[in-house]
Amino acid sequence: MQKRFLGNYRGEAVSLVIEKLPKNTRLEVVDHGQDNLVIIAGDFVYRFPRSEAVWQRASLEHFVLQQLRNYPELPVPQLQRVSETPAYIVAKTLPGSILEPLSIRSLAHDVQRHIGEQIGTFAATFHSLFQPTDIRPLLNEPNPQHWYATYLKNVLESAQGTAYSDLAQWVVNEWPHHDHSETTVIHDDLHPHNLLFNDQYVLTGVLDFADVNLGNPEQDLRYTYWMGDIILGAAADAYERCAGRAIDRELIELCAVSQELSGLYDPRRAYMHERARANLQRRFSFNLPELQRDKKKKE
């Protein structure tokens, strides 16, 4: 008998949540893309997967959050329950609100630096808590960096003859010249919508550990590139201070740009098209010969 996932049955999922909570608890139902149905109920967040594949992928997130319960000082969700039948997880809600990328770039420079420092410090702390051997058995792809390099080259071939062809070629040419070793357990999704801040711009929550993976620190800091130079610089500086290792800022750029380009040219990632175009058009004039000349001058 095929398992029924309540993420596809909104009414049943809501009924299950109501049964477990006091009467008159305020509910908010969020259709979280194609993967999960999310229900916020009082101080708790219920997440119902929509498929077996999503549930199996979440096993890594469950493992990570269970381990992070030993570090209450970190602003991460506190896992309350994992249910197999029906499949869902419950975590405590976190305070704070999301800052949109455009609003972040309009903040005072000292505030931006503060935000960047907190992102870099969190990443360095998180990276220090796990070893690759802790999660490798739970990964669907045993060699993620090798897989991504092959995937990226194939996808970016589709950019030939487009406005982004020079930029795509730059990524393909530069990628092999940087260290892509799989020596770090990374969050891999530290974008602004997974970060919560209070009114004083203090980081109060880091969400969504479903994409935890093996990679390099620069990959985990790639979203700071789209937040602006101030935040990227502050995040990289804070990471270096906390971790005691150098950060390759050009690799942060490379990881950021490669992700947006793959979002444009992989038909399976159509949900990324609007964001990818906005990011790339805002950041680049696509005058790649001049960009490459600038890089040669630095060398």
Side-chain angles (χ1 to χ4, degrees), residues 38-105:
V38 175
I39 300 176
I40 303 172
D43 294 331
F44 300 96
V45 177
Y46 289 72
R47 193 163 72 203
F48 295 87
R50 300 187 190 275
S51 69
E52 181 68 35
V54 173
W55 181 243
Q56 290 302 318
R57 193 169 73 238
S59 63
L60 177 55
E61 180 180 23
H62 305 161
F63 168 78
V64 169
L65 290 179
Q66 289 283 12
Q67 303 307 306
L68 292 180
R69 294 180 73 171
N70 297 320
Y71 303 92
E73 69 277 10
L74 292 179
V76 301
Q78 293 295 308
L79 199 61
Q80 302 294 302
R81 184 182 181 194
V82 177
S83 170
E84 292 283 347
T85 308
Y88 67 92
I89 67 170
V90 186
K92 289 275 288 184
T93 57
L94 292 169
S97 57
I98 291 168
L99 299 176
E100 293 294 339
L102 287 177
S103 67
I104 291 174
R105 283 188 288 272

Side-chain angles (χ1 to χ4, degrees), residues 195-244:
L195 305 174
L196 301 176
F197 295 88
N198 67 15
D199 293 342
Q200 302 302 313
Y201 301 104
V202 173
L203 181 64
T204 57
V206 178
L207 309 176
D208 197 353
F209 288 75
D211 291 319
V212 166
N213 211 333
L214 294 178
N216 51 62
E218 290 83 358
Q219 182 178 338
D220 227 6
L221 295 176
R222 67 188 182 277
Y223 287 104
T224 63
Y225 180 77
W226 304 115
M227 297 182 206
D229 295 339
I230 295 173
I231 288 183
L232 188 158
D237 289 346
Y239 192 100
E240 289 176 335
R241 288 195 301 271
C242 293

